[in-house]
Amino acid sequence: MSLHRSFGKAGARLAAVAAAALLSGCLSDGDVATKDPSFYRSMAASGAQVDAATAASMISGYRKNNGLPPVTVDPELMKLAEAQAQGMASNDKLSHDIIRSFHDRLKGGGYRAYTAAENVGAGYHTLAEAFSGWRDSPPHRANMLLDGATRMGIAAAYSPKSKYKVFWALILAKPDDRKVANAM
């Protein structure tokens, strides 16, 4: 049934005006449709921040396609990933051990993990590029598909003088929520 027949001529005009008003609201000066999705936004700029929620969604979708549960953003893992990415950018070096070993960084940050893995990368300018690079590398793919992981943290750090320009750190973990017995 057409709009005209459902509402009559006056109803059709009213519906057309309402639709135009809704569309004009969508096409305001802050039109998001003209901007790149956050996973295509370049991190090769001062102040650029990774959209952690989008990263969690991408990784969770990938995990779901492989029969695994999703991951959520963990503020503590975000801080640890940020420190790692910044450390690599400051030293212009891609390394898991730029600050300390991964295990020592988790422990030093007070993060108790039942299991955890880290992916680092450099030279990827967008989240989409970093995700694709990790997905296409067997050891990095295995980390993104870490069995039992439920939390993640991700960061990118810009280093304008580096040949890489952008350094990445991704941490996936299953927190160890067991209570620690107090020794008295």
Side-chain angles (χ1 to χ4, degrees):
M1 203 177 208
S2 74
L3 183 64
H4 177 70
R5 287 186 186 153
S6 296
F7 298 109
K9 288 183 181 180
R13 285 187 195 120
L14 181 59
V17 169
L22 286 172
L23 287 175
S24 69
C26 294
L27 300 175
S28 68
D29 290 337
D31 186 10
V32 177
T34 61
K35 295 180 183 177
D36 286 335
S38 61
F39 49 88
Y40 290 132
R41 191 175 309 134
S42 177
M43 296 292 108
S46 291
Q49 293 290 315
V50 177
D51 184 339
T54 296
S57 178
M58 289 174 73
I59 293 167
S60 291
Y62 184 61
R63 290 175 57 80
K64 182 180 178 186
N65 289 342
N66 286 276
L68 295 167
V71 291
T72 58
V73 175
D74 183 300
E76 291 176 59
L77 292 179
M78 290 294 293
K79 290 177 191 172
L80 291 167
E82 180 68 27
Q84 176 64 13
Q86 289 294 336
M88 292 186 300
S90 296
N91 290 284
D92 193 17
K93 184 176 181 184
L94 179 64
S95 172
H96 287 282
D97 300 323
I98 198 73
I99 302 169
R100 305 187 288 243
S101 74
F102 178 52
H103 177 269
D104 288 346
R105 286 184 282 119
L106 284 175
K107 188 176 178 181
Y111 197 87
R112 296 186 50 211
Y114 179 77
T115 187
E118 175 180 63
N119 285 351
V120 294
Y124 302 120
H125 286 210
T126 67
L127 174 58
E129 289 173 359
F131 174 81
S132 293
W134 289 328
R135 183 197 59 216
D136 295 342
S137 161
H140 294 100
R141 179 175 53 245
N143 286 346
M144 288 199 303
L145 299 176
L146 180 66
D147 192 29
T150 58
R151 308 281 177 84
M152 63 154 280
I154 190 168
Y158 176 55
S159 180
K161 295 180 181 178
S162 171
K163 69 178 180 179
Y164 299 114
K165 302 294 183 214
V166 183
F167 290 84
W168 292 84
L170 167 68
I171 302 172
L172 296 115
K174 176 181 180 181
D176 184 352
D177 295 327
R178 295 177 294 182
K179 300 285 183 206
V180 178
N182 291 333
M184 294 208 137

